[in-house]
Amino acid sequence: MVVEWAGLGPELLVPLDRTSREPLRAQLEGALRDAIRRGRLRAGERLPSSRELARQLGVSRGLVQDCYGQLHAEGYLRTRTGSATRVAELPAGALAPGPAAAAVARPLRADFAAGVPELASFPRAEWLAAQREAFRLVPNAAFGYGDSRGNPTFRETIAGYLRRVRAAHADPDNIVACGGFAQGLHLALGVLRQAGHRRIAFEDPGYGDDSTLAATARAGLRAVPVPVDAEGIDVDALAATGVRAVVVTPAHQWPTGVVMAPARRQALVAWAIRHDAIIVEDDYDAEFRYDREPVGSLQGLAPDHVVTIGTVSKTLAPAIRLGWMLCPSALTGAVLHDKRLVDRGSSLLDQLTVATLISSGRYDRHLRRMRGRYAARRQALVRALAAYAPMVTLTGLAAGFHAVAHLPAGADERTVIERASAQRIGLYGMSGYRADGSSTPPQLVVGFGNLSEDTIQAAVRVIGTLV
């Protein structure tokens, strides 16, 4: 009979073979000694008490105490009165050779990655307060599987928010909670594929070579790039492709930052109605506008032809993994069916917490606070470039927390990025967002949401010498 115990860690087994002639104490000592030497138990890790380990293994406590005592004498364990037994720090030569450790990259001094909000400003106190408030009132029945669309309170709150803030035509019955934009798009693509679509258009520049396009291919659809100009997606070029579905970012085009012009919005909606097409609207950071009032959602202009996907990834934090789909009535059932197959529903805890944040006004206060912080960083970026790299111009600053830096003619986008990396500064080229991967004209997509004003200034001073 072999008894195996996994309490020491998720990847550690301690076998005791009662049919073996080797004493159980020797087996236990050897197994623990081997686990420590091979790094499965690491310095400082806590071992269970002798009483608990004896109970788990079905042996006497004295046997475990003797084992611990021997390993302590050999220097494998350290003990202290009133404290737990822990693994001792062993000399490097005492450890068995293992796989070569990967080289640890030096951390970046400044990372201008786009799409990352200020993670340190997640409203922890407000989140916990909303969580306590929500769970004090939630009925026991809510903890079942429930409606895969999402909790009714969450859907009603989101519908009201979208009507109030995004001028959407929002009915709670047409809202489906989802695990962020990635899952929302996955569900939308699946429904389009089932409806007979074989191709879907994307803005160019747009998602580039990231996982969004990989998900499109996985869903069985071919991505068709359509150019974006200073007014948004080129609707004439879109119509010429013959597709009947498109993914757009009208409030703040990703990544150029262009706001879709009113005439272009009307033309896009007219195209959708004329061709019975579907627009998937990625409404990713419309809450953060600086130079004008926020523009409304496309969905409000054509609710029967637009799937709007929104999330709290930019407003709160990507780690929350919660979003919503506002679907045309004709597609809601199909989206809900696929949602049930994928995961049966999104986290009740997070849905009710977000709903309480919104209904209590804490969410709006957080957005106003963050809008001020991002505006200050935006100005810091503008001032730093004017001082240290005046040959670089910025566009796409009307909203969000990223902009496009236009390098001077003759500059090589990839060379600038490589030289910045050598200085431990993370820069990212527009070439990564273009369908053809072209680095002409040379441009950088500059995220400033998760950087302090001092860090922005210091990094731009270095960038100026590179450009």
Side-chain angles (χ1 to χ4, degrees), residues 192 197 200 244-247 271-272 276-280 304-307 328 331:
L192 291 172
H197 294 263
I200 184 169
R244 292 176 43 248
V246 61
V247 180
W271 165 83
D276 192 25
I278 293 295
I279 300 168
V280 179
D304 293 335
H305 294 273
V306 179
V307 177
L331 296 183

Side-chain angles (χ1 to χ4, degrees), residues 191-209:
V191 168
L192 291 172
R193 178 70 172 78
Q194 294 163 29
H197 294 263
R198 295 296 178 267
R199 301 183 301 152
I200 184 169
F202 285 87
E203 297 167 318
D204 183 23
Y207 297 110
D209 58 359

Side-chain angles (χ1 to χ4, degrees), residues 123-286:
R124 301 179 189 222
E126 291 88 345
W127 179 268
L128 291 173
Q131 197 173 75
R132 287 192 296 269
E133 185 178 329
F135 275 71
R136 189 170 58 247
L137 303 174
V138 65
N140 293 338
F143 289 95
Y145 285 109
D147 192 334
S148 297
R149 283 176 297 187
N151 179 268
T153 299
F154 172 76
R155 290 187 287 110
E156 290 166 6
T157 302
I158 292 299
Y161 176 80
L162 294 176
R163 290 193 298 266
R164 171 171 58 90
V165 176
R166 304 296 299 123
H169 183 79
D171 184 331
D173 288 341
N174 291 327
I175 288 177
V176 178
C178 59
F181 174 74
Q183 188 185 52
L185 181 63
H186 170 78
L187 293 171
L189 293 173
V191 168
L192 291 172
R193 178 70 172 78
Q194 294 163 29
H197 294 263
R198 295 296 178 267
R199 301 183 301 152
I200 184 169
F202 285 87
E203 297 167 318
D204 183 23
Y207 297 110
D209 58 359
D210 75 358
S211 58
T212 300
L213 297 188
T216 302
R218 189 180 182 91
L221 297 172
R222 183 163 69 86
V224 178
V226 177
V228 171
D229 59 25
E231 294 190 338
I233 192 168
D234 186 333
V235 179
D236 290 336
L238 172 64
T241 65
V243 303
R244 292 176 43 248
V246 61
V247 180
V248 294
T249 50
H252 187 223
Q253 202 275 330
W254 177 263
T256 68
V258 167
V259 178
M260 190 177 291
R264 197 64 63 84
R265 291 163 65 89
Q266 293 291 342
L268 181 60
V269 167
W271 165 83
I273 294 173
R274 183 167 60 251
H275 295 281
D276 192 25
I278 293 295
I279 300 168
V280 179
E281 179 180 26
D282 180 1
D283 203 34
Y284 71 98
D285 71 354

